[in-house]
Amino acid sequence: MTTLQERLDAGDVLIIDGAMGTELERRGAEMDGAAWAGTAMKSQPEMNGAIHRDFIEAGADIIIANTYASAPHVLRHAGVDESEARELNRLGCAIAHEAVRVSAADREVYVAGSLSSFRAGLHLDTLPSEAEGRASYRAQAEALAEGGCDLLIAEMMLDPVISPWAIEAAVATGLPVWIGLSARVTDGRVMGFHQYADDPFETVLDACLAFGGQAAGIMHSDIDVMAPALAALKARWDGPLFAYPHSGHFEMPHWRFDCVITPEDYVTKARGYLGMGAQAVGGCCGLGPEHIRLLKQKLPTRGTAK
Ligand SMILES: [Zn+2]
């Protein structure tokens, strides 16, 4: 078995999957009002697995289990207690592993567990206290490790206070950790993606990169923001880089797909990320199997980084 670190060291370009949550929505799944896709491994296990298989068959080297919105402090608002929350996280990993077993018998596909800054119902009043947040991320990270993940991805790291709790918990498992940062541009300045305070992106980076990690990247950010955000990240991070922006926009309570970039145009953008040194690219919200398939077909298998 070739490890992810060996693939990175060899300079291979790795393809990350596309979105799970918005793809569930696109296929008609009913989303939870508080936890969005966070309970779909139980309510929609077949669709969850089918999406993983579609991404693997499209060429993804890394698939991300559907645990983005499944931290215990989020699921609590959906009526799920901590023990069931751990069970759901393990189930999300099991569905991803089963998809690999079925669809990637002849090649290495890595399963990532996701922890994120998602807040229940997207309400500010569902932000956890420090004690609850730290305990919740620890419990989720342990469940993802028990679920046999090859790596953990901290997604939508967007602020200097809560996001680092998720990263610290992920790193404590001893698994490889990828740090996925989200940015916006306001008045020409790159800022952390969150809306409840204006933190310069550099402040978010300093807080989120303090724990180390195997790779860091920009994800769940507008395509227009990717270049300045990657440049800011590169100024503070020497390790491998990844990139998976979103396309379209969120309009409570659903993702709008009417202005999603075409797969052809997205390949051009992704070449730009490789040119900036990214070694792994994929898609976040709005980007589906057709985007990933064209990345796999069109991008070089070796990068320019390192
Ligand atoms: Zn996203």
Side-chain angles (χ1 to χ4, degrees):
M1 171 173 169
T2 313
T3 66
L4 198 47
Q5 187 64 53
E6 287 165 345
R7 299 287 304 274
L8 291 169
D9 290 344
D12 289 354
V13 168
L14 295 160
I15 303 294
I16 306 169
D17 66 3
M20 174 57 72
T22 60
E23 190 62 20
L24 286 162
E25 282 201 283
R26 201 169 70 84
R27 298 183 187 200
E30 192 163 326
M31 311 302 275
D32 186 276
W36 194 49
T39 54
M41 63 287 271
K42 188 176 176 193
S43 63
Q44 298 281 354
E46 293 83 12
M47 197 187 289
N48 184 176
I51 292 170
H52 283 315
R53 293 196 301 276
D54 286 353
F55 282 129
I56 293 167
E57 285 155 20
D61 300 300
I62 297 170
I63 62 167
I64 304 174
N66 177 49
T67 58
Y68 163 84
S70 309
H73 71 273
V74 172
L75 291 182
R76 177 167 72 78
H77 294 275
V80 175
D81 69 21
E82 188 185 316
S83 129
E84 195 189 348
R86 285 181 178 246
E87 187 54 41
L88 287 182
N89 277 277
R90 287 191 291 264
L91 178 59
C93 300
I95 290 171
H97 280 294
E98 176 63 10
V100 171
R101 192 186 68 75
V102 169
S103 294
D106 56 343
R107 67 189 181 95
E108 208 75 65
V109 171
Y110 306 94
V111 171
S114 166
L115 303 86
S116 84
S117 64
F118 180 85
R119 44 188 207 281
L122 300 183
H123 299 308
L124 291 182
D125 59 8
T126 58
L127 289 173
S129 67
E130 179 166 359
E132 183 189 17
R134 285 184 181 279
S136 172
Y137 286 125
R138 266 199 305 274
Q140 186 181 22
E142 286 167 11
L144 295 172
E146 288 161 12
C149 289
D150 301 299
L151 70 154
L152 300 180
I153 302 191
E155 297 194 281
M156 265 186 100
M157 298 291 98
L158 42 61
D159 79 308
V161 178
I162 295 175
S163 299
W165 305 339
I167 300 167
E168 195 171 11
V171 169
T173 64
L175 288 169
V177 175
W178 288 27
I179 302 159
L181 297 136
S182 297
R184 60 183 160 94
V185 170
T186 302
D187 297 331
R189 192 134 189 239
V190 186
M191 311 293 287
F193 192 84
H194 69 119
Q195 304 294 332
Y196 47 90
D198 282 321
D199 285 304
F201 194 45
E202 289 75 14
T203 307
V204 177
L205 290 173
D206 286 341
C208 290
L209 298 175
F211 307 94
Q214 186 179 56
I218 308 297
M219 51 78 60
H220 194 87
S221 302
D222 284 341
I223 284 172
D224 291 349
V225 176
M226 294 301 287
L230 274 170
L233 173 58
K234 277 172 72 169
R236 282 170 156 72
W237 177 261
D238 288 334
L241 294 167
F242 61 89
Y244 56 104
H246 58 220
S247 181
H249 62 279
F250 200 69
E251 217 167 77
M252 273 301 270
H254 298 298
W255 193 260
R256 295 288 308 264
F257 289 89
D258 44 343
C259 50
V260 169
I261 190 168
T262 66
E264 292 74 18
D265 288 347
Y266 185 54
V267 167
T268 304
K269 298 289 182 188
R271 282 188 205 284
Y273 311 147
L274 295 186
M276 291 189 73
Q279 215 183 327
V281 291
C284 203
C285 302
L287 300 177
E290 294 316 309
H291 294 88
I292 301 309
R293 190 182 321 281
L294 212 59
L295 291 182
K296 182 66 178 182
Q297 286 172 5
K298 303 283 187 188
L299 294 183
T301 56
R302 286 293 173 86
T304 51
K306 311 214 162 185

